[in-house]
């Protein structure tokens, strides 16, 4: 790592209070003079040209110039890793970094957040589920090495990046050497290496484990609601903190009902005589898994008539209200008549003037065809 104590103003040959125009003019003049293409025999020139370009980059930018003026030229200039902007760092790497923070890691070891979908019965959605068990696979901290990833518990500072997790390479361009910072290939950006990896977690400090947790679902939980479980996600590598778990609610269909948004349709089969005369039916609501209520269907009900029980559907508006339960009548035409029933239907049809003997009907059609 190089240090540079040169004053940027003197590199550009201007005074500290030089205007932007003056800096620009001076840079242009010196850049022509020092350009590596015209000074191929002089290796110092390339270095000088680079210094010039970098000095200009800073002093031509009011913000960077102000920062440079504030931090000065000596000690801060020697500090290889600085608090300047990322772009600045990318381009100038260890050259002009200014600031206090010496090491800077690009890799985070916090565990990943996780998302899972959890099925809830209508009953649970309405009544709540204070002890809902959720099972899933996740990374948990390795017990054998307490998450450290190494048998001895030792981390060795990476010799390549000296613990920073980053390396800087230089590339020659028309502007001189351009510096770029990469994640250290030796330690994959960790800044340390583990020389005696734990065999159980293969040196990562975490292992995939079947996990069982219990969460409390409040009453009137709407579908798609998301609950955050702090630290319910994956364990971090090398003993670092767990990510969070996001539990999204999905309703499990209940065969007794047809779902229509927040409303639940409860289909009920009734016979012809029941439709004609009226009847009493049993119906269920999602409030209870066993208990039922009774409803009086009036006489003369039509097929697919609907009777609304307000507020007995699914939770909505964040659980502040509920959809409706709708009883729907399905009138079943009987197909398994006994002789006695058949006689009665014929009699009924005759009374209503609706009876046509099949034979008669057949003869009439024949006559029509002959004509
Ligand atoms: Zn490294
Ligand atoms: Zn381990």
């Amino acid at each position: 790592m190089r240090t540079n104590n040169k004053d940027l103003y003197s590199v550009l040959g201007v005074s500290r209070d030089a205007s932007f125009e003056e800096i620009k003019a001076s840079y242009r003049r010196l850049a022509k003079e020092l350009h590596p293409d015209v000074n191929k025999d002089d290796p110092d020139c390339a270095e000088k040209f680079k210094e010039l370009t970098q000095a200009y980059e800073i002093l031509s930018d009011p913000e960077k110039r102000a920062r440079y003026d504030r931090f000065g030229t000596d000690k801060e200039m020697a500090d290889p890793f600085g608090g300047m902007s990322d772009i600045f760092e990318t381009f100038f790497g260890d050259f002009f970094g200014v600031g206090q923070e010496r090491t800077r890691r690009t890799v985070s070891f916090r565990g990943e957040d996780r998302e899972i979908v959890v099925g809830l019965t209508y009953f649970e959605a309405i009544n709540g589920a204070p002890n809902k068990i959720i099972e899933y696979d996740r990374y948990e901290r390795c017990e054998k090495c307490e998450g450290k990833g190494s048998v001895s518990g030792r981390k060795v500072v990476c010799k390549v990046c000296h613990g920073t997790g980053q390396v800087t390479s230089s590339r020659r361009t028309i502007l001189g050497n351009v510096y770029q910072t990469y994640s250290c290939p030796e330690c994959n950006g960790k800044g340390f290496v583990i020389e005696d990896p734990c065999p159980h977690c293969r040196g990562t400090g975490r292992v995939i484990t079947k996990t069982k947790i219990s969460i409390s679902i409040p009453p009137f939980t709407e579908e798609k609601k998301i609950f955050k479980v702090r630290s319910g996600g994956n364990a971090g590598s090398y003993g670092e903190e767990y990510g969070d778990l996001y539990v999204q609610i999905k309703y499990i269909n209940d065969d007794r009902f047809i779902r229509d948004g927040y409303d639940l349709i409860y289909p009920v089969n009734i016979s012809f005589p029941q439709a004609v005369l009226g009847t009493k039916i049993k119906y269920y609501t999602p409030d209870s898994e066993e208990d039922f209520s009774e409803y009086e269907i009036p006489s003369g009900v039509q097929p697919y008539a609907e009777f609304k029980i307000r507020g007995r559907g699914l939770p909505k508006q964040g659980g502040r209200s509920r959809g409706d339960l709708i009883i729907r009548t399905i009138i079943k035409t009987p197909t398994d008549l006994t002789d006695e029933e058949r006689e009665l239907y014929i009699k009924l049809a005759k009374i209503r003037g609706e009876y046509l003997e099949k034979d008669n009907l057949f003869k009439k059609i024949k006559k029509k065809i002959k004509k």
Side-chain angles (χ1 to χ4, degrees), residues 102-371:
R102 191 180 172 91
T103 57
R104 193 152 168 280
R105 219 172 49 192
T106 49
V107 183
S108 164
F109 300 129
R110 180 184 184 270
E112 301 85 1
D113 289 340
R114 294 283 303 278
E115 283 175 30
I116 52 173
V117 174
V118 165
L120 216 56
T121 63
Y122 297 160
F123 176 79
E124 289 175 314
I126 285 156
N127 296 284
N131 193 24
K132 182 82 182 168
I133 304 294
I134 297 169
E135 285 182 88
Y136 60 111
D137 289 336
R138 68 164 178 171
Y139 279 107
E140 289 197 352
R141 197 158 289 162
C142 175
E143 287 172 356
K144 298 279 187 312
C145 63
E146 293 169 328
K148 292 187 177 81
S150 91
V151 174
S152 62
R154 254 183 332 120
K155 290 173 183 170
V156 180
V157 173
C158 174
K159 288 182 182 74
V160 174
C161 62
H162 307 285
T164 61
Q166 295 180 338
V167 286
T168 304
S169 73
S170 66
R171 189 162 52 89
R172 193 172 279 272
T173 74
I174 195 152
L175 288 170
N177 285 350
V178 169
Y179 290 85
Q180 236 166 346
T181 303
Y182 300 98
S183 182
C184 172
E186 178 69 16
C187 61
N188 292 321
K190 294 196 296 290
F192 59 85
V193 284
I194 288 169
E195 289 175 337
D196 54 345
C198 166
H200 189 58
C201 61
R202 290 189 303 218
T204 60
R206 60 179 192 169
V207 280
I208 291 179
T209 311
K210 255 201 192 326
T211 303
K212 202 190 256 190
I213 60 163
S214 159
I215 66 167
S216 177
I217 306 285
F220 306 113
T221 293
E222 227 179 318
E223 194 170 44
K224 295 204 173 86
K225 189 175 165 66
I226 293 168
F227 295 97
K228 180 177 174 178
V229 180
R230 200 166 284 283
S231 302
N234 285 337
S237 302
Y238 313 107
E240 293 212 10
E241 65 175 317
Y242 277 80
D244 298 321
L245 174 71
Y246 293 89
V247 177
Q248 189 177 42
I249 297 301
K250 185 172 169 31
Y251 289 162
I252 299 165
N253 276 338
D254 185 328
D255 291 342
R256 294 175 299 174
F257 306 102
I258 297 163
R259 188 173 164 193
D260 181 18
Y262 299 105
D263 295 337
L264 290 177
I265 294 161
Y266 185 79
V268 59
N269 291 338
I270 60 172
S271 69
F272 265 167
Q274 284 176 316
V276 173
L277 304 169
T279 186
K280 204 181 255 181
I281 55 110
K282 280 199 289 189
Y283 72 94
Y284 294 85
T285 72
D287 296 56
S288 165
E289 281 169 326
E290 287 136 29
D291 298 346
F292 58 85
S293 306
E294 285 183 324
Y295 192 87
E296 220 159 288
I297 304 287
S299 59
V301 70
Q302 300 298 323
Y304 303 107
E306 291 187 343
F307 304 93
K308 196 178 275 183
I309 319 278
R310 282 196 188 280
R312 290 302 176 109
L314 297 171
K316 62 178 183 181
Q317 293 181 303
R320 288 192 303 279
S321 73
R322 285 173 66 179
D324 301 321
L325 181 79
I326 294 158
I327 295 169
R328 180 185 280 171
T329 53
I330 311 293
I331 296 169
K332 288 281 179 193
T333 305
T335 52
D336 54 347
L337 296 181
T338 61
D339 287 347
E340 189 191 359
E341 285 170 341
R342 198 180 135 72
E343 283 307 310
L344 287 169
Y345 274 108
I346 290 169
K347 195 175 172 188
L348 182 63
K350 278 180 177 165
I351 292 165
R352 295 179 67 87
E354 292 162 355
Y355 185 68
L356 277 175
E357 249 179 289
K358 272 185 188 158
D359 288 352
N360 290 347
L361 182 69
F362 191 63
K363 278 174 197 159
K364 275 181 188 168
I365 293 167
K366 262 191 174 173
K367 274 181 195 166
K368 274 192 177 168
I369 293 169
K370 274 180 186 171
K371 276 177 191 173

